[in-house]
């Protein structure tokens, strides 16, 4: 996982090991290693550019500071390698952070809505199941799952199966349109004592105007407190474009980034916050329902920098 990204930082680190001083030349060489692997790892090109600029600036500042210190004390407190990697870590965390895994809860008696949207096959329905399990466990709520995908033949049955596995109710209605289904589900939730409603919408392309309009209509009809966009990490820069268009249209609250357990190059995870301003809330780390992690920029930065995962 994230091996492509990790490679460049490892190369930079090796290059800096044993180097006596952080100089302009050394910084540029290390940045070149990092740049290559960011591009190869499918980080959005604007993000690559900004990241490298920030690291360069901070590293030059550090260069001056270290030189002054070594004059003053005659010894070095940290090595160029440590200094460079610490700067990269800082900038990675700033770019993906701050941590924001909050959810909004509806005030009053109405159930809290979560609308889950995204491209076909991105992992929406699976994420609906994972999210429901998470909300039940962490927030002690009772979710109702809503089958709002009326287009893919097996979609309703897939959600029903998830409902059985989770022992949670599923709302579906044959022959009705998604807007109607979502509205009715809100009422059904109240009747069944559910205080959370999770809408599993159909996969769609951002350029499919009628289907995007349908999401607008659902949003207006049920005003879910949370709109989460599901992005497949394997789709790299495309995922970032998708995030931009869905966000412009729906003003999403956050992202669930799926399939980071695979051989995803991981660039999307680095780029989404910087480009859309919207946080990643969760990471999908496998097909099973317990494979959902709250997103921690520090954790991902450590994985990328090959420091092992630092929890917290
Ligand atoms: N490895 C891995 N596979 C995942 C993850 N999330 C979902 N999948 C798999 O991705 C495939 C598609 O998942 P779905 O949840 O059906 O995707 P969807 O977005 O609902 O698909 P449509 O409703 O057809 O648009 C399934 O085979 C899932 O098991 C994840 O985090 N990791
Ligand atoms: Mg689905």
């Amino acid at each position: 996982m994230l091996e492509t990204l990790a490679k460049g930082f490892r190369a930079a680190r090796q290059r800096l090991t044993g180097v006596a001083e952080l100089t302009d030349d050394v910084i540029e060489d290390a940045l070149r290693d990092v740049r290559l692997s960011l591009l190869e790892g499918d980080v959005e090109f604007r993000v690559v550019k900004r990241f490298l600029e920030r690291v360069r600036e901070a590293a030059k500042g550090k260069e001056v500071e270290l030189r002054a210190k070594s004059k003053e004390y005659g010894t070095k407190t940290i090595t160029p390698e440590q200094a460079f990697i610490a700067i990269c870590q800082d900038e990675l965390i700033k770019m993906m952070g701050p941590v924001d895994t909050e959810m909004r809860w509806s005030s009053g008696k109405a159930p809290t809505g979560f609308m889950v949207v995204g491209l076909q096959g991105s992992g929406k329905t699976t994420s609906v199941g994972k999210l429901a399990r998470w909300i039940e466990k962490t927030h002690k709520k009772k979710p109702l799952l809503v089958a709002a995908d009326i287009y893919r033949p097996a979609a309703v049955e897939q959600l029903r199966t998830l409902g059985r596995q989770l022992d949670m109710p599923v709302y579906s209605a044959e022959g009705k349109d998604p807007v109607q289904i979502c509205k009715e589900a809100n009422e059904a939730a109240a009747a069944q004592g559910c205080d959370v409603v999770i809408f599993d919408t159909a996969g769609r392309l951002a350029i499919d105007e009628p289907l995007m309009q349908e999401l607008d209509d659902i949003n207006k009809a049920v005003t879910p407190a949370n709109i989460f966009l599901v992005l497949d990490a394997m789709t790299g820069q495309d995922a970032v474009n998708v995030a931009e268009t869905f966000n412009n249209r729906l003003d999403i609250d956050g992202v669930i980034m799926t399939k980071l357990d695979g051989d995803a190059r991981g660039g999307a995870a680095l780029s989404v916050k910087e480009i859309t301003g919207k946080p990643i809330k969760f990471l999908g780390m496998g097909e099973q329902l317990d494979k959902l992690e709250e997103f921690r920029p520090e954790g991902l930065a450590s994985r990328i920098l090959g420091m092992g995962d630092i929890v917290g």
Side-chain angles (χ1 to χ4, degrees):
M1 192 194 80
L2 304 175
E3 180 47 31
T4 315
L5 294 175
K7 204 171 60 187
F9 290 99
R10 200 162 50 234
R13 184 177 243 174
Q14 272 160 7
R15 190 188 284 281
L16 291 170
T17 306
V19 167
E21 238 184 295
L22 207 55
T23 61
D24 284 4
D25 285 351
V26 165
I27 293 171
E28 288 309 319
D29 285 345
L31 286 174
R32 208 166 303 127
D33 292 329
V34 172
R35 178 172 178 276
L36 265 178
S37 77
L38 291 181
L39 290 174
E40 205 184 318
D42 225 2
V43 178
E44 216 272 353
F45 71 97
R46 285 169 288 177
V47 176
V48 175
K49 201 160 161 259
R50 285 183 220 158
F51 176 77
L52 294 175
E53 273 162 17
R54 288 176 203 151
V55 172
R56 178 180 287 116
E57 198 179 316
K60 292 204 166 155
K62 201 74 192 172
E63 176 187 333
V64 174
E65 186 193 317
L66 289 178
R67 213 167 270 160
K69 271 206 181 132
S70 88
K71 249 196 206 130
E72 196 177 331
Y73 302 116
T75 51
K76 289 192 186 65
T77 43
I78 60 171
T79 65
E81 176 213 342
Q82 287 166 335
F84 185 81
I85 292 298
I87 288 166
C88 290
Q89 185 178 26
D90 261 14
E91 295 299 332
L92 281 174
I93 292 171
K94 269 191 227 159
M95 198 161 82
M96 295 186 282
V99 176
D100 178 4
T101 55
E102 290 297 302
M103 303 182 190
R104 296 162 187 256
W105 303 100
S106 72
S107 51
K109 269 190 272 169
T112 298
F114 292 81
M115 178 155 100
V116 177
V117 302
L119 298 189
Q120 272 152 15
S122 53
K124 294 177 298 300
T125 305
T126 311
S127 297
V128 163
K130 291 176 178 174
L131 191 62
R133 182 180 178 275
W134 176 274
I135 289 172
E136 183 189 53
K137 276 200 179 321
T138 317
H139 297 283
K140 312 292 174 221
K141 304 265 184 196
K142 265 194 80 182
L144 172 70
L145 314 183
V146 182
D149 179 356
I150 57 164
Y151 306 102
R152 194 165 59 79
V156 177
E157 196 41 48
Q158 185 189 359
L159 196 66
R160 284 219 187 94
T161 306
L162 278 180
R164 276 194 294 275
Q165 281 172 25
L166 291 164
D167 196 19
M168 286 178 193
V170 174
Y171 185 83
S172 63
E174 223 168 296
K176 298 207 170 141
D177 72 273
V179 178
Q180 196 63 31
I181 291 171
C182 292
K183 266 196 195 152
E184 289 179 5
N186 256 348
E187 290 150 25
Q192 297 186 43
C194 293
D195 46 11
V196 163
V197 190
I198 310 182
F199 305 101
D200 181 31
T201 65
R204 66 202 72 215
L205 292 174
I207 51 164
D208 187 330
E209 181 49 36
L211 279 185
M212 289 306 281
Q213 183 60 44
E214 181 193 279
L215 289 182
D216 271 344
D217 294 342
I218 295 177
N219 190 16
K220 286 205 187 84
V222 295
T223 52
N226 306 271
I227 303 178
F228 288 169
L229 172 66
V230 174
L231 292 177
D232 177 344
M234 310 277 278
T235 57
Q237 293 205 42
D238 279 344
V240 181
N241 297 333
V242 168
E244 249 183 322
T245 9
F246 271 78
N247 186 43
N248 289 341
R249 186 82 189 222
L250 288 167
D251 190 20
I252 62 168
D253 295 286
V255 166
I256 301 178
M257 181 76 61
T258 61
K259 308 188 197 181
L260 260 172
D261 53 307
D263 57 358
R265 288 169 290 175
L270 252 66
S271 314
V272 160
K273 176 71 194 293
E274 177 80 18
I275 295 296
T276 64
K278 296 300 168 66
I280 298 177
K281 299 276 187 187
F282 291 98
L283 301 180
M285 300 298 291
E287 300 191 61
Q288 293 86 9
L289 291 175
D290 60 344
K291 294 286 188 287
L292 187 73
E293 291 181 9
E294 273 189 302
F295 180 60
R296 302 273 171 230
E298 296 79 4
L300 202 70
S302 302
R303 284 182 201 173
I304 290 168
L305 293 171
M307 298 165 155
D309 201 357
I310 299 165
V311 177

